[in-house]
Amino acid sequence: MADLEDDDDAALRWAGDEEQGREAPRLGGSAPVVVEEVAADEPAAPGSRGRRAVAAAFALPYLLYTVLWVFVVQRLTSGATSLPTEILWQFGEFLAMLAAPAWFAGTLALTRDGRPLARVGWLALGLGMLVPWPFVLDLYAALVIAGNLS
Amino acid sequence: MTDALETDDASTPDAPSPDAPSPDAPSRGAVIAVAAVFAVLFGLATLGPVSNLVALPQVYQVYGIGDAVPWALLVAGVVIPPLLYVAGLLLGRGRLLVHRAIVLVVALATTFALGFGLIAWVAALQPALG
């Protein structure tokens, strides 16, 4: 019986296993299957729930900024007469559209292990710096004109 | 069996030694290359504001509104790109190379967004042309 088990184990070995330190058969009844226990109820990193809440709270304003910048870029015209200037302008417009999502994603990535307050600070700073002024000023001008007309 | 597992663990060839340099640490050449590429991009982002700073006052003079040149906005447009470049370099210090690049991309995108904002303010503040 023992010989039979040894034969089974031998069938479950690969040539060269001994050199790699795998003396035990890879599968088989005589080898206990090692199961790495995954701690399902492993406690989350401190502050992770707060960081997630902050990200969720700021997601909507950043999404709004992104949409507004896309809208702004559609209305901007460079007035450039040379190709390099026009290319640079288009490149700038592309990056301006990406600014809000890039700031949001970059902040989430770089404050992954930081304090939730740091994430709040960086996200709030981004909202302050990336105000879509062309849209805001156009809207203000339109409201002034509408007020004068009425 | 226990011996086999211990042997397996002990013979793991990829186990880093405590004295070895971190494989994540970016090489000095790569750091300088990233900084140089972004220096060029930030330099390009400065061209437009410099052009505005030089040309717009002359245009305002021609139209007789030379007193209304928005100097603060024009100077801010020139100062912002190098400022954000330096800020991006400082914020990226000690981070992975990819994180440095992310910081500089965000700084560059912010530079252009602020630049378009300044252009909008200049247009909004421009007095009516007589």
Side-chain angles (χ1 to χ4, degrees):
Chain A
M1 190 61 188
D3 288 344
L4 190 60
E5 282 181 2
D6 286 347
D7 288 346
D8 286 345
D9 288 349
L12 295 169
R13 286 196 179 95
W14 292 84
D17 273 358
E18 287 78 7
E19 286 80 4
Q20 295 178 5
R22 290 175 180 269
E23 283 86 359
R26 296 192 176 208
L27 291 173
S30 62
V33 177
V34 178
V35 178
E36 291 185 12
E37 289 184 16
V38 178
D41 54 350
E42 188 177 326
S48 68
R49 181 177 292 181
R51 282 194 296 272
R52 241 178 283 146
V54 168
F58 276 92
L60 194 61
Y62 272 91
L63 182 64
L64 178 67
Y65 269 31
T66 306
V67 171
L68 290 179
W69 270 111
V70 170
F71 182 70
V72 163
V73 163
Q74 307 304 316
R75 292 168 51 85
L76 289 175
T77 51
S78 71
T81 53
S82 67
L83 183 61
T85 309
E86 180 63 28
I87 291 173
L88 186 57
W89 181 273
Q90 299 283 341
F91 179 62
E93 286 184 337
F94 173 69
L95 280 181
M97 282 192 294
L98 279 186
W103 189 296
F104 184 72
T107 302
L108 295 197
L110 298 178
T111 60
R112 187 170 295 157
D113 302 322
R115 290 174 302 151
L117 199 59
R119 179 171 280 188
V120 169
W122 282 110
L123 289 174
L125 180 67
L127 286 182
M129 291 186 75
L130 298 174
V131 174
W133 285 114
F135 175 83
V136 172
L137 294 173
D138 281 355
L139 182 67
Y140 176 75
L143 290 176
V144 168
I145 291 172
N148 289 340
L149 289 178
S150 62
Chain B
M1 187 60 213
T2 309
D3 289 342
L5 281 178
E6 283 174 355
T7 307
D8 202 347
D9 290 341
S11 66
T12 305
D14 296 333
S17 83
D19 296 334
S22 167
D24 295 335
S27 72
R28 190 173 178 80
V31 169
I32 291 173
V34 168
V37 167
F38 277 95
V40 171
L41 293 174
F42 276 90
L44 289 173
T46 315
L47 287 181
V50 168
S51 171
N52 288 338
L53 181 63
V54 172
L56 204 65
Q58 298 171 12
V59 173
Y60 272 45
Q61 287 287 350
V62 169
Y63 283 100
I65 52 173
D67 294 340
V69 175
W71 288 109
L73 295 177
L74 296 178
V75 171
V78 175
V79 170
I80 283 172
L83 207 62
L84 287 186
Y85 175 66
V86 172
L89 287 182
L90 292 178
L91 285 173
R93 276 194 315 175
R95 295 183 187 274
L96 298 176
L97 192 63
V98 66
H99 288 170
R100 290 171 192 245
I102 288 173
V103 170
L104 286 169
V105 165
V106 172
L108 186 64
T110 304
T111 297
F112 279 107
L114 286 174
F116 288 127
L118 288 177
I119 290 172
W121 270 108
V122 169
L125 294 176
Q126 179 186 304
L129 299 176

